[in-house]
Amino acid sequence: KPAAVMIAPTDEHALIKPMQNMKAAGIKVIQVDTHVANNSIASASISSNNTKGGADAADELAKLIHDKGSVVVMNEQAGVSTTEARIAGFIKEMKKYKGIKVLPTQYTGDSPAPAAQKINALYSANPDLSGVFATNVLVAEGVDTGLSHTGAAGKVKIVGYDADPEQVADLKKGVV
């Protein structure tokens, strides 16, 4: 029986009951990065300002594409509080750039392969695609791979959230 559990809930609703059960058993529940819809369960929450992060991503992407073209948000799945906040911040901030069209958000699952496939299809259907905001590291990895396979790496600018060694390597190569 642990004294505490640190958890990054992957769904705002599905983990409420398990977290309530832990709390009822006397286990302190600490949310990290993401949260559930019922904030009274957790003893504490630790998170970055994901809304601001999304807004910062919008500003950086707008700068990289010189305030023109189409952009898309590539996300893992709906209902994850961190990425939903990043998307909200991005879309709200992007409204101030009148020369940029924001395409509908694409959901890819939390896996690089579907992200690569979706960005390839999206790029084929939208030749004016200028930029991508990838809301987490696995989605960004897939976007990087997909655009590299289409020959659009560097042409389509990518701003990603989070970083792992592959993302850092892609950043140094100029892919991201």
Side-chain angles (χ1 to χ4, degrees):
K1 180 180 172 190
V5 170
M6 296 180 81
I7 186 168
T10 55
D11 186 286
E12 291 180 304
H13 302 285
L15 291 171
I16 289 175
K17 186 68 174 159
M19 289 171 61
Q20 286 173 327
N21 292 343
M22 286 186 273
K23 182 178 179 179
I27 300 169
K28 300 274 187 214
V29 179
I30 301 164
Q31 299 177 113
V32 179
D33 201 33
T34 56
H35 59 81
V36 293
N38 181 346
N39 286 324
S40 69
I41 301 168
S43 299
S45 294
I46 304 165
S47 181
S48 58
N49 185 335
N50 289 292
T51 304
K52 182 170 181 346
D56 289 347
D59 291 334
E60 186 61 27
L61 192 55
K63 183 170 71 174
L64 290 169
I65 65 172
H66 308 290
D67 301 341
K68 61 183 178 213
S70 293
V71 298
V72 66
V73 176
M74 300 290 286
N75 190 31
E76 55 176 322
Q77 65 188 30
V80 178
S81 63
T82 51
T83 57
E84 292 295 331
R86 292 170 191 171
I87 293 168
F90 181 86
I91 290 173
K92 182 179 179 187
E93 188 71 9
M94 196 53 80
K95 288 179 181 177
K96 74 181 192 182
Y97 299 103
K98 301 302 180 197
I100 299 174
K101 176 183 175 187
V102 180
L103 300 172
T105 298
Q106 300 294 304
Y107 294 92
T108 67
D110 205 16
S111 176
Q117 292 168 350
K118 282 216 176 186
I119 196 62
N120 286 349
L122 195 69
Y123 181 68
S124 293
N126 297 276
D128 71 331
L129 184 66
S130 303
V132 178
F133 172 43
T135 62
N136 80 4
V137 71
L138 294 175
V139 172
E141 182 181 318
V143 169
D144 300 351
T145 300
L147 290 175
S148 292
H149 289 159
T150 65
K155 178 183 174 190
V156 176
K157 304 301 182 188
I158 305 167
V159 173
Y161 212 100
D162 299 329
D164 69 3
E166 186 170 333
Q167 284 299 110
V168 173
D170 284 346
L171 181 64
K172 289 178 180 176
K173 289 187 287 189
V175 174
V176 179

